[in-house]
Amino acid sequence: MAGIAGPCSSGLLFRSREAGSINGASMAQFDGLRQVETMHMPVNGNKSNGLGFTSAPKCRIIKAMASSTVSAPKRETDSKKRTVITGMGLVSVFGSDIDTFYNKLLEGESGITLIDRFDASTFSVRFGGQIRDFSSKGYIDGKNDRRLDDCWRYGIVAGKKALEDANLGPEVLQTMDRTRIGVIVGTGMGGLTAFSAGVESLIQKGYKKISPFFIPYSITNMGSALLAIDTGLMGPNYSISTACATANYCFYAAANHIRRGEADIMVVGGTEAAVMPTGVGGFIACRALSQRNDEPHRASRPWDKNRDGFVMGEGAGVLVMESLESALKRGAPIIAEYLGGAVTCDAHHMTDPRSDGLGVSSCITKSLEDAGVSPEEVNYVNAHATSTLAGDLAEFNAIKKSMIGHGLGAAGGLEAIATIKAINTGWLHPTINQDDLEPAVTIDTVPNVKKQHEVNMERQSDTCIVAQWNKCSTLRSGVMLKGLWNGMSVGAGYDVITVS
């Protein structure tokens, strides 16, 4: 996860608002980015700023201004099809509180440490973004908690936290039509610990000693299934597994379910727990990991000439996506709007990206078209940039066109949350450990120190390591887009893009 400030042309779009009156929410009608009319609306919920963010650093007012040479974008106006973000939840190496997570990113703190979950002393890579002191208390009952793979524990907790953030707790859900609420929580690797334990039992003790949970807790759809079982959500439910692009694929699919009228609300994101012998060993075999064992906190260094691979991370990031009509009807706190998306494939190599970035750049173009956003409107990118030799430059080529490790299937979810926070706070988190920038990289990468930035449009980028799938989604945080603001008061907004 790395930041780029400046013009770009891609991805998952968010837009933010400026805070004003705290007595209610406002809805404003806009023609393009020009306000036409405003009407005051009451808002339900107890969030101090209508967006669910309270402790992030304050900043000056941020204004969104469309270029005078850019025509007003043609965007969706049907409130049944417009898709907004009403809740966020995560589990990360920095804990499970969103404000703490983003504040640590802003301070440039590294969560990368030596691995102590297993004996890694014989491994050529002995560090990663290992989560410690994780607690599922209040979210998973003790019996199931002991059985579950960490991948599913992270996903369930992040999912339930997102529902809470969206004012969709158990009591509220019981009053709703849960056949209209679905779940798509993807994963790149699935229940890797459960799978490894099952294989070990087979080899050492024979098939009769394999746990009956071996298959259920290994397969990738269990994140969505278990969360739905716990919450009674009966809408569309499945998993997507496209490596690092997983979560953004899930956002794209969920938004399309809402656009087609198949669901009103979707709980969506990614989860991963691969900091274990099979996961670390497998990526060592791929020669994909940094081997900077003497200084793990400085190992992930996007676009630095001395980068030597990515750092394994883990966690979960989940959003609640909802039709605008549903969100307004129940007085939900709107924190972002999904504008559009696209999916492509490099069709090139299992692990190496196309050097010309064509797969990513075409995905960016299609996403912008779907979102009704002009490239000139984008001036911030939350890049995927995982510190690999080929991947970082390929992504940069597509654009001109470090701190938590690489979360694989969870990456898109965690990065989407960071993207929304960047827009709503006006602070961009730094790209840490950037000491010697690649000469070919000629954009502002926000090196080492956080930065205040007036954001017109933001993009988050995720491109998977296997088969090179590309995913671009367009959201906006704060929610003003050809028509609607739902927050404390009417104000300026921004758009943001994210690409996987």
Side-chain angles (χ1 to χ4, degrees):
M1 182 160 46
I4 301 174
C8 72
S9 59
S10 56
L12 179 63
L13 283 154
F14 300 83
R15 171 193 232 121
S16 187
R17 62 158 181 82
E18 76 186 48
S21 164
I22 60 173
N23 297 319
S26 301
M27 184 169 75
Q29 298 299 321
F30 287 82
D31 179 9
L33 292 178
R34 179 175 60 87
Q35 183 177 330
V36 178
E37 99 183 83
T38 302
M39 56 185 177
H40 193 71
M41 299 175 59
V43 64
N44 297 328
N46 55 6
K47 296 181 181 176
S48 63
N49 64 358
L51 294 177
F53 305 134
T54 57
S55 66
K58 303 294 183 182
C59 66
R60 66 185 185 282
I61 292 174
I62 300 176
K63 297 180 179 180
M65 298 176 290
S67 167
S68 60
T69 61
V70 180
S71 60
K74 297 179 180 179
R75 295 167 180 159
E76 183 60 67
T77 58
D78 187 343
S79 64
K80 292 182 179 180
K81 294 182 179 180
R82 290 175 64 182
T83 302
V84 296
I85 312 302
T86 56
M88 304 189 295
L90 60 74
V91 172
S92 78
V93 71
F94 292 138
S96 301
D97 178 77
I98 288 174
D99 288 326
T100 299
F101 167 77
Y102 197 64
N103 287 335
K104 286 184 179 292
L105 292 184
L106 288 178
E107 294 307 312
E109 182 174 334
S110 175
I112 309 305
T113 58
L114 293 175
I115 294 170
D116 59 15
R117 180 175 294 159
F118 64 93
D119 183 5
S121 60
T122 61
F123 285 60
S124 60
V125 175
R126 299 183 286 278
F127 61 93
Q130 176 186 322
I131 290 175
R132 292 178 169 81
D133 303 320
F134 168 75
S135 174
S136 62
K137 185 176 180 180
Y139 296 97
I140 307 174
D141 69 77
K143 184 177 180 180
N144 281 326
D145 192 47
R146 290 189 294 273
R147 290 174 173 172
L148 288 175
D149 190 285
D150 280 346
C151 184
W152 313 135
R153 296 171 74 222
Y154 298 161
I156 291 172
V157 171
K160 289 186 175 181
K161 281 182 171 289
L163 286 167
E164 288 178 351
D165 193 49
N167 295 334
L168 290 170
E171 293 182 358
V172 175
L173 287 176
Q174 288 178 4
T175 68
M176 302 181 71
D177 181 359
R178 285 175 284 181
T179 66
R180 301 284 301 169
I181 308 175
V183 184
I184 309 177
V185 177
T187 174
M189 309 290 283
L192 203 53
T193 297
F195 182 82
S196 297
V199 172
E200 185 176 353
S201 294
L202 172 65
I203 293 173
Q204 294 184 357
K205 302 175 183 179
Y207 77 93
K208 291 184 179 181
K209 295 298 182 180
I210 296 176
S211 166
F213 298 103
F214 167 47
I215 296 297
Y217 288 170
S218 297
I219 55 181
T220 60
N221 68 297
M222 289 310 291
S224 298
L226 291 169
L227 184 56
I229 290 169
D230 268 13
T231 55
L233 305 182
M234 300 173 65
N237 187 294
Y238 53 93
S239 174
I240 294 174
S241 183
T242 48
C244 324
T246 291
N248 271 356
Y249 264 78
C250 293
F251 299 147
Y252 176 73
N256 285 336
H257 283 299
I258 294 171
R259 285 173 162 180
R260 294 194 297 263
E262 298 164 354
D264 298 322
I265 301 173
M266 296 292 296
V267 185
V268 199
T271 183
E272 204 75 83
V275 181
M276 42 82 67
T278 304
V280 175
F283 280 103
I284 290 174
C286 287
R287 300 180 181 179
L289 300 182
S290 167
Q291 299 194 20
R292 200 179 291 263
N293 292 295
D294 55 338
E295 45 180 2
H297 61 289
R298 293 181 56 78
S300 182
R301 42 183 60 237
W303 296 303
D304 189 90
K305 286 200 296 186
N306 295 310
R307 68 191 183 282
D308 66 332
F310 76 81
V311 178
M312 181 77 79
E314 59 182 355
V318 177
L319 304 179
V320 173
M321 301 179 72
E322 183 169 1
S323 74
L324 178 59
E325 181 182 64
S326 171
L328 292 176
K329 184 177 180 179
R330 67 183 189 86
I334 297 177
I335 51 181
E337 180 172 4
Y338 176 99
L339 301 181
V343 295
T344 64
C345 178
D346 271 15
H348 175 65
H349 187 272
M350 284 195 299
T351 57
D352 289 341
R354 296 179 62 107
S355 59
D356 59 6
L358 180 60
V360 179
S361 61
S362 63
C363 190
I364 290 169
T365 300
K366 292 177 180 180
S367 177
L368 290 169
E369 290 173 354
D370 188 49
V373 170
S374 302
E376 293 86 350
E377 295 178 85
V378 182
N379 74 338
Y380 178 69
V381 179
N382 185 302
H384 190 50
T386 59
S387 190
T388 59
L389 293 173
D392 285 14
L393 290 180
E395 184 176 8
F396 168 72
N397 286 335
I399 290 169
K400 32 169 219 193
K401 20 169 190 155
S402 33
M403 289 177 278
I404 60 174
H406 184 3
L408 306 178
L414 292 169
E415 291 172 15
I417 291 172
T419 295
I420 293 172
K421 290 293 285 183
I423 294 300
N424 281 282
T425 64
W427 283 93
L428 311 183
H429 69 75
T431 303
I432 64 171
N433 301 326
Q434 196 172 94
D435 302 326
D436 192 2
L437 186 66
E438 279 277 7
V441 178
T442 56
I443 50 182
D444 180 1
T445 60
V446 194
N448 302 315
V449 180
K450 65 184 178 182
K451 179 178 183 178
Q452 283 184 300
H453 186 60
E454 291 189 2
V455 180
N456 294 338
M457 196 86 65
E458 180 175 350
R459 185 195 102 196
Q460 170 193 316
S461 174
D462 286 322
T463 303
C464 79
I465 193 172
V466 180
Q468 296 302 320
W469 293 287
N470 305 302
K471 170 65 186 73
C472 303
S473 305
T474 305
L475 303 110
R476 113 189 128 208
S477 179
V479 164
M480 173 194 83
L481 205 116
K482 190 144 173 94
L484 177 60
W485 267 89
N486 187 25
M488 293 307 179
S489 65
V490 175
Y494 337 95
D495 291 330
V496 181
I497 304 184
T498 184
V499 178
S500 324

